[in-house]
Amino acid sequence: ARDEFLLLASTKGDLLEDRDYSSVAGKLAGAGKLTEAIAVMDAGIKAHPDSESLQKVQKSIVAKAQAAGDADALSDLAGLGYLGE
């Protein structure tokens, strides 16, 4: 799902709204696919930096990664600058 969505975003990004990124990232995170969710969330934040819905998704994903102790997800978040904010 991540790869297909990011391909769509790279080719038709002007058609996607922040809620599209939030929805996909939230569903991926809910399914436990945190590293995939982070990739979609990051693309969404880059496309819509002032989005409140993406900021909420970011906080949720950070909390899930910390609660799960998911080293890969935490590494991704740290590398992208989403930890320690």
Side-chain angles (χ1 to χ4, degrees):
R2 171 197 60 194
D3 294 338
E4 292 84 358
F5 184 81
L6 293 177
L7 177 62
L8 176 65
S10 71
T11 58
K12 305 274 187 201
D14 54 327
L15 300 176
L16 297 175
E17 297 181 12
D18 61 337
R19 66 181 179 200
D20 298 316
Y21 291 92
S22 295
S23 176
V24 172
K27 288 178 183 175
L28 287 168
K33 298 179 179 185
L34 294 176
T35 58
E36 293 184 27
I38 292 164
V40 172
M41 174 203 74
D42 184 57
I45 289 172
K46 288 176 178 166
H48 303 280
D50 298 324
S51 169
E52 289 183 24
S53 67
L54 283 164
Q55 290 172 9
K56 289 178 186 176
V57 168
Q58 174 193 342
K59 289 178 183 175
S60 173
I61 291 173
V62 168
K64 286 179 191 248
Q66 290 172 332
D70 187 323
D72 291 333
L74 292 169
S75 176
D76 287 355
L77 289 164
L80 293 168
Y82 294 116
L83 292 181
E85 295 181 347

